[in-house]
């Protein structure tokens, strides 16, 4: 379905980004990976799906490096047809204790990076009259949790950015939508499970149940593969007129 298209997925060396990259590659899209840590393993996983794969290690908190990444993608792949703004970090603390440096980093990586990648991707998408921008927001783009001020502010911001991007391109073949997962068991959430287990003096498995029980009626984690299939839907022709939605995959979290 996506043969000949190129998808750039930020923060795709791990977790949800890697799951989405693999789902798009299974549909034939060439993939540009980004993110920290090991990139050889993820590159090999994508290449095994029979598509072209590239990697750029831009730090998504730095606009100049995002520009370099977009220039690399254009030079090596011709054009970015699908942009998935996924890179993100978390920090948990009350507002009065929240480190200012963590606030700035979360706003830069979880929100401003999407603005920069989007503004740089749009001209070529509009010229081709086809494009998909998928912003990985969160249920925290729609509702709040205590001790996550920067994350909730950034995720509400990215839901707003999604709507504006969708509206500004509504008469074209370029769509923009947000995905809002509940709990997904990735390294980002494992840290919160570990903190809960340590704070309550319980096992890792018990801490997972406590975490799910607080918010997610299904008592199940959503998987990166499931989120990848939602991204594939947005890229399909059935998604041609899906514009500006914030689509939850949250086990009923915000239905309550
Ligand atoms: P993760 O920690 O597994 O992956 C994060 C990715 O972002 C990694 O590839 C990491 O290297 C990359 N990254 C971090 N900082 C970066 C930077 N400065 N520059 C470039 N890359 C950077 O986390 P995840 O759970 O897969 O999270 C992915 C996205 O999904 C985030 O935006 C997160 O907010 C969102 N999300 C996660 C959950 C969840 O339960 N895990 C729920 C809702 C939304």
């Amino acid at each position: 379905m996506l043969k000949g298209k190129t998808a750039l997925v930020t923060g795709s060396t791990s977790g949800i980004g890697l799951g989405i990259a693999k789902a798009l590659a299974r549909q034939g899209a060439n993939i540009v990976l980004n993110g920290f840590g090991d990139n050889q393993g993820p590159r090999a996983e994508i290449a095994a799906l029979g598509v072209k794969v590239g990697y750029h290690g831009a730090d998504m908190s730095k606009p100049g490096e995002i520009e370099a990444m977009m220039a690399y993608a254009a030079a090596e792949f011709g054009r970015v047809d699908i942009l998935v703004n996924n890179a993100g970090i978390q920090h948990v603390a009350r507002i009065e204790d929240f480190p200012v440096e963590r606030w700035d980093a979360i706003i830069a990586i979880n929100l401003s990076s999407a603005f920069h990648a989007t503004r740089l991707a749009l001209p070529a998408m509009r010229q081709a009259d086809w494009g998909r921008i998928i912003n990985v927001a969160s249920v925290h783009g729609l509702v709040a949790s205590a001790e996550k001020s920067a994350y909730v502010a950034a995720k509400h911001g990215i839901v707003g950015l999604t709507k504006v991007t969708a509206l500004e391109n509504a008469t074209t073949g370029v769509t923009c939508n947000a995905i809002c997962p509940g709990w997904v068991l990735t390294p980002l959430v494992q840290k919160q499970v570990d903190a809960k287990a340590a704070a309550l003096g319980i096992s890792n498995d018990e801490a997972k149940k406590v975490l799910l029980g607080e918010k997610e009626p299904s008592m199940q984690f959503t998987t990166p593969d499931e989120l990848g299939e939602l991204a594939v839907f947005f890229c399909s022709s059935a998604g041609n007129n899906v514009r500006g939605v914030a689509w939850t995959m949250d086990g009923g979290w915000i239905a309550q």
Side-chain angles (χ1 to χ4, degrees):
M1 188 178 84
L2 299 175
K3 209 166 168 32
K5 304 255 193 260
T6 295
L8 186 154
V9 186
T10 70
S12 47
T13 48
S14 164
I16 294 170
L18 182 56
I20 292 177
K22 283 197 276 191
L24 296 174
R26 275 186 221 108
Q27 298 298 324
N30 297 322
I31 303 290
V32 182
L33 295 169
N34 156 261
F36 298 150
D38 169 47
N39 65 75
Q40 293 300 333
R43 282 168 85 150
E45 279 186 67
I46 302 280
L49 297 167
V51 299
K52 183 177 167 185
V53 55
Y55 167 78
H56 194 282
D59 178 340
M60 297 303 288
S61 69
K62 304 205 165 100
E65 295 192 20
I66 298 171
E67 282 179 25
M69 176 183 73
M70 298 304 288
Y72 158 83
E76 292 292 318
F77 290 78
R79 177 173 74 229
V80 172
D81 303 284
I82 300 162
L83 169 66
V84 183
N85 289 310
N86 165 79
I89 58 169
Q90 176 64 286
H91 187 82
V92 181
R94 289 179 59 83
I95 292 173
E96 61 270 34
D97 303 324
F98 213 92
V100 170
E101 167 277 324
R102 284 292 83 193
W103 171 277
D104 289 343
I106 289 174
I107 298 300
I109 295 165
N110 295 21
L111 177 58
S112 301
S113 73
F115 160 70
H116 292 297
T118 298
R119 72 180 169 80
L120 295 163
L122 273 171
M125 287 181 180
R126 287 188 62 114
Q127 198 176 13
D129 200 27
W130 196 92
R132 295 288 187 263
I133 299 173
I134 300 170
N135 292 327
V136 180
S138 165
V139 283
H140 286 115
L142 303 167
V143 295
S145 294
E147 303 193 350
K148 296 187 175 174
S149 54
Y151 190 86
V152 169
K155 294 299 185 181
H156 275 66
I158 206 165
V159 168
L161 177 66
T162 300
K163 293 175 184 172
V164 175
T165 308
L167 290 180
E168 289 184 2
N169 296 285
T171 58
T172 76
V174 180
T175 72
C176 179
N177 294 289
I179 295 179
C180 298
W183 291 123
V184 187
L185 193 55
T186 64
L188 183 143
V189 162
Q190 187 59 51
K191 279 188 210 152
Q192 294 172 65
V193 172
D194 295 343
K196 183 79 73 188
L200 300 179
I202 56 177
S203 73
N204 227 270
D205 276 351
E206 285 166 331
K208 283 178 195 159
K209 286 197 190 109
V210 172
L211 212 74
L212 288 166
E214 284 170 358
K215 302 280 185 182
E216 196 144 328
S218 67
M219 292 298 286
Q220 280 175 41
F221 291 99
T222 302
T223 67
D225 282 347
E226 289 163 350
L227 294 162
E229 289 307 313
L230 180 53
V232 167
F233 166 72
F234 284 138
C235 294
S236 73
S237 55
N240 281 349
N241 207 23
V242 180
R243 297 176 189 270
V245 306
W247 194 311
T248 52
M249 260 202 184
D250 66 351
W253 183 323
I254 69 153
Q256 298 167 97

